Amino acid sequence: MLPYLNDSNQRIFYSFALIVYSGLIYLLSDRPGMITLDLFPHQDKLVHGIAYGVMAGLGRMAFLCWPQVKPVDLWAWFYAALYGASDEWHQSFVPGREVDFLDWGADALGAALVLLVWRYWRSRAARINS
């Protein structure tokens, strides 16, 4: 959390960041095609995992600011995974784009991995500090 912001401002900041990031993914997937360098096979799955991992992290920070949202990690994962599914559906309407359920799997897996690593680091830090 950002120590220089009060609870209300943190709620606005992280919620806004999540909305802006979600909008950025929407805009990128609304393009007919993306020019990428093919460095290795299935690199797009790694890109999907990272992008939705970031989304899950932002979701976690945003949902931490809303005390009525529990469990935070589950809701952050659900948000990222559901957004990934809706993004694949959205791409079915964009010329030059196609639906790939493996992309959605990479979205959901990337979100889960980020949240699991975050949870591990937090529990490890708590053990070290106690």
Side-chain angles (χ1 to χ4, degrees):
M1 305 308 267
L2 300 172
Y4 50 85
L5 293 178
N6 64 30
D7 289 345
S8 178
N9 288 341
Q10 285 193 38
R11 182 179 302 167
I12 292 168
F13 177 81
Y14 286 116
S15 298
F16 184 72
L18 179 60
I19 291 167
V20 167
Y21 189 78
S22 299
L24 176 65
I25 288 180
Y26 178 87
L27 290 175
L28 289 174
S29 67
D30 200 42
R31 299 174 55 120
M34 304 259 317
I35 299 171
T36 59
L37 297 173
D38 287 332
L39 302 175
F40 54 88
H42 309 293
Q43 77 180 23
D44 66 312
K45 305 305 181 256
L46 179 63
V47 171
H48 274 262
I50 292 169
Y52 283 85
V54 169
M55 179 180 280
L58 285 172
R60 185 181 194 286
M61 296 305 292
F63 296 146
L64 275 174
C65 297
W66 296 88
Q68 64 272 29
V69 177
K70 302 285 184 213
V72 169
D73 289 342
L74 182 62
W75 280 105
W77 177 84
F78 186 69
Y79 178 87
L82 186 62
Y83 196 89
S86 72
D87 185 53
E88 289 302 316
W89 178 70
H90 163 242
Q91 288 181 32
S92 71
F93 300 103
V94 178
R97 300 299 290 260
E98 59 187 37
V99 174
D100 185 353
F101 290 106
L102 292 178
D103 284 350
W104 176 76
D107 300 342
L109 182 61
L113 287 174
V114 164
L115 294 169
L116 287 171
V117 167
W118 196 326
R119 178 174 281 215
Y120 170 77
W121 280 341
R122 300 239 343 140
S123 67
R124 187 166 187 256
R127 282 192 307 260
I128 291 171
N129 292 332
S130 61

